[in-house]
Structure formats: C-alpha cells, structure tokens
C-alpha cells in the first residue's frame, strides 16, 4: 500500500508543481486555490487507498454468516462512491448474498445480500461520511437548505442541492425527535 500511495501522491505533487510553476509570483489567491485543490486530491487518494486496502484479510472469505443469520457466498466486488470532506471517493468492497432464503420470519429478516465493509466503516445504507453529515447538519441548522448546500459546495469539491441537504438532515432530525420523546 505504501508503494501505491507514494506513487499516487508523487503524481499529484508533480501536477501541483506544474500548476504552481504557471502561476505568477504575487498571485496568492491562485496559489491558495491550487494548494486546497491539490490537498483535497491527495486526501481522496489517501482515503481510497485505506478504504480499499485489506490490511487484516488480504482476500475476502468465500463464505460467511450474514447479519440475517444465513450462510452467504461471495458474489464479487462492488464499487460504492462515498461523498467525503475531500470529495467523492470510490470504495470497492466484497459483496455477499444468502445461499438459501428461509421462509416466514427468517425470510423477512433476510437482507439477501450485504457488503460487510459498509457496516465496518459506518456507511451502511448511506453514501456520505460522518464528517459530511456533521458539516451539512451544522450548515442546515443555520441556513436554508439551498444556501447550506451552496456553502457546502464552496468548501468541499462536491455537488449538492438543497433537497439533498434536506435528505441528509432527516436522520439528524429523527434522532433529535427520538431523544426528545424519552
């Protein structure tokens, strides 16, 4: 992983130095923007490398017990794009499906398939990281959703609409409502 990361970061550093060499002295705004852009690109490469590395298990197991209790088989690897504070990051992870679907209650509890890495990294059934969730929640608490989305996009290299900001706020609102009902 170190070798792959070193090469990817060296390529990004070369791009940065090329861009900076084309910048005139005294253009602080252009330099600052290039530094931010390059640091985010390096951050994406670092995140992808760590998320896609298999530090403890080089190869995914062919069979496993799923969260539903059924035996699952490895059907392949599937990509998932995560929206992070450094921009979109691609995560490739093993995906498993149940061998036999039970009947009755067992079938209702069965997910039929799952990617264990999603639960491990805390992105099961979501496409955003906790950092993105926290930032958009903060902005949405203080601004209308459209303005919160625009503010988010100024800081983070992603695209987001006011409707998406509202959707990301829904779990936070549900948690607050549940907390008030205690």
């Amino acid at each position: 992983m170190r070798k792959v990361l070193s090469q990817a970061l060296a390529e990004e550093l070369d791009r940065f130095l090329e861009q900076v060499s084309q910048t005139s002295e005294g253009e602080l705004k252009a330099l600052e923007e290039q530094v931010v852009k390059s640091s985010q690109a390096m951050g994406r490469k670092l995140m992808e490398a760590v998320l896609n590395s298999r530090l403890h298990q080089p190869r995914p197991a062919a069979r496993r017990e799923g969260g539903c209790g059924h035996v699952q088989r490895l059907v392949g690897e599937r990509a998932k794009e995560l929206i992070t504070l450094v921009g979109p990051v691609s995560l490739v992870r093993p995906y498993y499906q149940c061998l036999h679907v039970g009947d009755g209650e067992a079938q209702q509890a069965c997910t039929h398939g799952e990617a264990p890495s999603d639960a491990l990294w805390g992105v099961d059934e979501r496409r955003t990281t906790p950092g993105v969730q926290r930032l958009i929640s903060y902005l949405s608490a203080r601004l209308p959703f459209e303005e919160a989305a625009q503010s988010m996009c100024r800081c983070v290299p992603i695209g987001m609409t006011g409707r998406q900001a509202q959707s990301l706020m829904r779990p936070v609102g549900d948690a607050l409502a549940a907390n008030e009902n205690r």
Side-chain angles (χ1 to χ4, degrees), residues 174-182:
D174 292 345
L176 290 172
N179 196 25
E180 285 180 4
N181 292 334
R182 286 187 195 178

Side-chain angles (χ1 to χ4, degrees), residues 38-50:
S38 294
S39 64
Q40 289 171 334
M42 288 183 193
R44 284 191 297 275
K45 291 188 185 296
L46 291 170
M47 283 196 71
E48 282 181 349
V50 172

Side-chain angles (χ1 to χ4, degrees), residues 4 11 16 25 41 49 62 89 98 103 118 131-132 140:
V4 171
E11 290 170 7
F16 170 75
E25 270 191 61
V89 170
C98 293
D103 46 325
D118 289 358
V132 168
S140 294

